[in-house]
């Protein structure tokens, strides 16, 4: 269900990635690789994504659940590592990802802002005492709660709320010198593909866990057609 503009539909072939990795490995073997040594401007990867999450309850119930994020965010974010960051913020370790023989373990600070007109916003915030090693992330998301009357009558499931979300994600990476010797077009296409895959995996897992946790908290069964989307 997740979409990225008009082109993000499914996982793409890894053939190009494998070729680039092979070339990068060859370059690395001919020189001493020091990942911390970077030159020039960072490479920017950007994606705009949108999707929705179905919650079979009134808007008010969904809003109360989302507002009390401290009670569910930690367990729903697993296996990501989460640490509290102020009253409404969290520091997350997304996981370890890499390409071109270069790996990063993104750690970002996110703040869940108070809702305005049933619209929730999430933004990146600094993590005290932490300096991202070679990358910078700008995460800007919004979630809107929409009660859907038409679907209620068709499904006979009572009230349903659609949590529609959008995400603008920009990642700047300062690659080491040996990677910057690769064709820029290959670096860009492989990085864009990896970013899309990360967002797809994380968003699907988080959506599934939040749906299950929310319905269990109210003792409401999650419809079979929703479970099949896992």
């Amino acid at each position: 269900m997740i979409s990225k503009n008009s082109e993000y539909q499914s996982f793409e072939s890894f053939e190009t990635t494998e070729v680039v990795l092979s070339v990068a490995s060859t370059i690395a073997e001919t020189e001493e690789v020091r990942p911390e040594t970077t030159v020039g401007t960072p490479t920017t990867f950007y994606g705009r994504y949108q999707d929705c999450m179905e919650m079979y309850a009134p808007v008010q119930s969904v809003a109360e659940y989302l507002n009390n994020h401290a009670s569910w965010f930690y367990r729903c974010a697993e296996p990501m590592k989460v640490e509290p960051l102020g009253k409404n913020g969290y520091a997350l370790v997304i996981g370890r990802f890499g390409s071109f023989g270069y790996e990063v373990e993104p750690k970002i600070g996110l703040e869940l802002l108070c809702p305005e007109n049933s619209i929730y916003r999430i933004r990146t915030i600094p993590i005290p005492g932490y300096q991202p090693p070679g990358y910078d992330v700008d995460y800007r998301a919004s979630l809107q709660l929409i009660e859907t009357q038409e679907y209620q009558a068709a499904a006979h499931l009572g009230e349903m709320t659609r949590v529609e979300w959008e995400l603008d994600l920009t990642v700047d990476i300062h690659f080491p010198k040996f990677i910057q010797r690769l064709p820029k077009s290959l670096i860009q296409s492989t990085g864009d593909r990896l970013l899309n895959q990360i967002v797809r995996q994380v968003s699907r897992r988080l959506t599934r866990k939040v749906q299950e946790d929310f319905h269990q908290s109210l003792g409401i069964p999650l419809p079979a057609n929703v479970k099949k989307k896992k």
Side-chain angles (χ1 to χ4, degrees):
M1 292 178 63
I2 186 172
S3 63
K4 173 185 179 293
N5 296 332
S6 60
E7 65 183 38
Y8 186 54
Q9 300 297 330
S10 61
F11 286 105
E12 299 180 47
S13 170
F14 283 93
E15 292 180 0
T16 301
T17 306
E18 291 172 352
V19 172
V20 175
L21 285 171
S22 177
V23 174
S25 298
T26 301
I27 294 175
E29 290 173 358
T30 62
E31 61 182 57
E32 183 180 0
V33 180
R34 295 179 179 177
E36 71 279 5
T37 303
T38 60
V39 294
T41 58
T43 301
T44 299
F45 304 97
Y46 169 78
R48 182 176 178 81
Y49 310 88
Q50 58 184 14
D51 205 343
C52 70
M53 177 170 57
E54 299 168 351
M55 310 291 252
Y56 292 88
V59 167
Q60 182 177 354
S61 297
V62 177
E64 291 175 355
Y65 176 82
L66 294 179
N67 290 339
N68 191 25
H69 50 79
S71 69
W72 56 264
F73 191 84
Y74 293 94
R75 60 175 175 270
C76 290
E78 292 181 350
M80 292 185 290
K81 300 177 182 178
V82 183
E83 299 175 356
L85 197 59
K87 182 179 180 181
N88 295 310
Y90 303 90
L92 287 84
V93 178
I94 308 300
R96 184 175 293 276
F97 305 95
S99 194
F100 315 122
Y102 176 71
E103 290 188 342
V104 294
E105 189 174 35
K107 182 177 182 179
I108 61 175
L110 296 179
E111 182 180 21
L112 282 64
L113 302 177
C114 295
E116 296 182 0
N117 299 320
S118 295
I119 297 179
Y120 294 75
R121 301 187 188 280
I122 306 174
R123 66 179 182 181
T124 47
I125 55 176
I127 300 175
Y130 178 74
Q131 181 63 42
Y135 66 87
D136 184 63
V137 178
D138 184 18
Y139 183 108
R140 297 181 183 275
S142 63
L143 299 84
Q144 184 172 12
L145 307 186
I146 301 176
E147 196 163 41
T148 308
Q149 299 294 334
E150 181 179 350
Y151 194 88
Q152 292 175 216
H156 303 290
L157 291 169
E159 296 176 279
M160 186 188 83
T161 301
R162 287 171 58 89
V163 182
E164 298 187 350
W165 61 265
E166 294 184 349
L167 167 63
D168 284 292
L169 181 62
T170 303
V171 181
D172 293 323
I173 299 181
H174 293 267
F175 285 115
K177 293 180 180 179
F178 82 97
I179 290 179
Q180 295 187 27
R181 291 177 57 185
L182 297 170
K184 291 184 179 180
S185 60
L186 290 181
I187 295 175
Q188 191 72 52
S189 63
T190 305
D192 286 340
R193 183 162 52 250
L194 181 59
L195 181 64
N196 293 343
Q197 292 167 359
I198 293 171
V199 172
R200 178 173 180 170
Q201 292 172 2
V202 172
S203 66
R204 280 187 170 182
R205 182 174 62 236
L206 186 58
T207 293
R208 184 184 72 247
K209 287 192 172 184
V210 171
Q211 282 180 312
E212 292 176 344
D213 188 82
F214 170 74
H215 290 85
Q216 288 175 4
S217 69
L218 295 181
I220 302 173
L222 189 62
N225 65 319
V226 175
K227 293 180 179 180
K228 291 179 180 179
K229 296 177 183 178
K230 293 183 182 181

